[in-house]
Amino acid sequence: MSVAALREALTRLLPPARVLHDPASLRRYQADWSWAAVAAQAAGAPQGQPDLVVRPHDVDEVAAVVRAAAQHGVPLVPWGAGSGVQGASVPVRGGLVLDLGALTRVREIDEQAMTASIEAGLVCDTFEQTLNARGLTFPHYPASSWLGTIGGYISTRGSGVMSTRYGKIEDLVLSLEAVLPDGSLVQTLAVPRHACGPDLAGLFIGAEGTLGVVTAATVRIKPLPQTRRFRALAFPDLAVGLEAGRRMMLDGLRPPVLRLYDAAAAAHSLSRVVGVALEGPTAVLVFEGRPELADVEAALAVEHAVACGGRELDEGIAEEWWNHRFDFYHPPHYPTLPAMWGTIDVVATYDRILPTYAALQEALVPRFAAHHLRLTTHLSHWYDWGTMLYARFLIPRAPEDPAEAMRLNAQVWQVGIEAALQCGAVINDHHGVGLKLAPFLRRQYGSAYPLLTTLKRALDPQGLMNPGKWPG
């Protein structure tokens, strides 16, 4: 590996001002939003730091930079906005960070096909504003939409609050443009539904830059909805709420938002945001589209909930949630140091969800009671076959010794993930793998794991693309 030689080569490819190597610039790329990365940086011992940062302006420059890194044997980490929470963009082996933040063009909006071709560095909110001006929307509303990029969502298989109707990012992507580890450019087939062999776009969706660099995508767009309807529901226990949600899904109802909070989450986080004291499991639902269809869906959803033993609350609770849906992810609702936090989001079929929920509660809360660990959970992305648990843990004050704090954080994750795996859950729904979950992938995939490593070696024989992540 010759970083100095690569730097010299890059300054011939790009204006020198876009090849960064000063300490202040490099520090900006030490951490994403994962607790471990944030805490390590704050302690003065970051998990990683690049040797160089490059900001290309178009796909040809991306290809040239990737090719140069491969020729010089230098590790390369793609960077969108650094808003991930699993450590996927932390440059643990130094090398080159490829900042895609300047690839922001909307190449095309096709209002007949209802698709848009957009570049990977485009911020989700910026794209949404462009579409809204034309009466359109991209129905992917993640908590990080004000900052996160399209490429980041694709690379982590991200999701948004509207996913129960419109799907996760992989359901919204038709095709991809990507640069392979050797610098060659590929374009996948124009549509995801075909019988021309495997869907190659799926190689890059969720791969976190380990198999190549996503530079652009063609995505589905929709007309802005004519109306929205809001409903709030209370349940005597989580099992009743889960069964009501399952029946809604099996009946063909597709509320964009179906968010079921357990008693702890309803009392602690939901109540604070909506300004209403809530006791017991609570669900907020949003329906949209033509008024007559939204009304029918809302009525049928309430009918299912009541039949299961739930009751309807003031719909203003759900509307208040919608208006403040991103407040959960900013202070004072979102924790900051010296607290310790993390989200163990797992996904499973309906028969495994309640056992997994119980296992997480039993494994984490008593074991870490001395650290005052609190676990709040909601179920926010629903499918015909199952749903997911968004189990957020909070320790109000981490140990002052950084090494001790890191050990405690690793223990919480180890215990939580082991509990989920023992129940047959899949260990992540929409945040990705990164540094945090890479150690668990071999067990998660089992006999299929060698396929991942074979694929990685075939596309990235030098192991330079986002090293230290999956597959380990």
Side-chain angles (χ1 to χ4, degrees), residues 86-106:
Q86 302 287 67
S89 57
V90 178
V92 290
R93 297 185 188 169
L96 174 68
V97 162
L98 182 67
D99 186 337
L100 299 168
L103 274 70
T104 59
R105 285 195 306 137
V106 177

Side-chain angles (χ1 to χ4, degrees), residues 124 138-145 153 156-172 255-259 321-322 325-326 329 378-383 388 390 429-431:
C124 197
F138 178 53
H140 182 69
Y141 294 179
S144 60
S145 61
Y153 299 133
T156 57
R157 294 181 80 92
S159 191
V161 300
M162 312 283 274
S163 68
T164 298
R165 177 166 183 166
Y166 298 109
K168 296 173 63 213
I169 193 69
E170 61 264 33
D171 302 301
L172 296 169
V257 176
L258 171 51
R259 209 169 185 93
W321 175 90
W322 174 260
R325 62 193 180 278
F326 297 142
Y329 308 100
H378 66 255
L379 298 79
S380 50
H381 307 284
W382 295 70
Y383 312 97
M388 56 81 65
Y390 190 106
D429 177 75
H430 61 270
H431 285 126

Side-chain angles (χ1 to χ4, degrees), residues 75-134:
L76 184 148
V77 178
W79 182 280
S83 60
V85 294
Q86 302 287 67
S89 57
V90 178
V92 290
R93 297 185 188 169
L96 174 68
V97 162
L98 182 67
D99 186 337
L100 299 168
L103 274 70
T104 59
R105 285 195 306 137
V106 177
R107 296 180 180 177
E108 181 185 25
I109 296 175
D110 186 329
E111 295 193 34
Q112 183 174 11
M114 292 302 284
T115 63
S117 295
I118 53 180
E119 293 185 338
L122 183 62
V123 172
C124 197
D125 269 4
T126 303
F127 179 41
E128 182 68 9
Q129 291 162 14
T130 299
L131 292 174
N132 290 172
R134 302 173 65 155

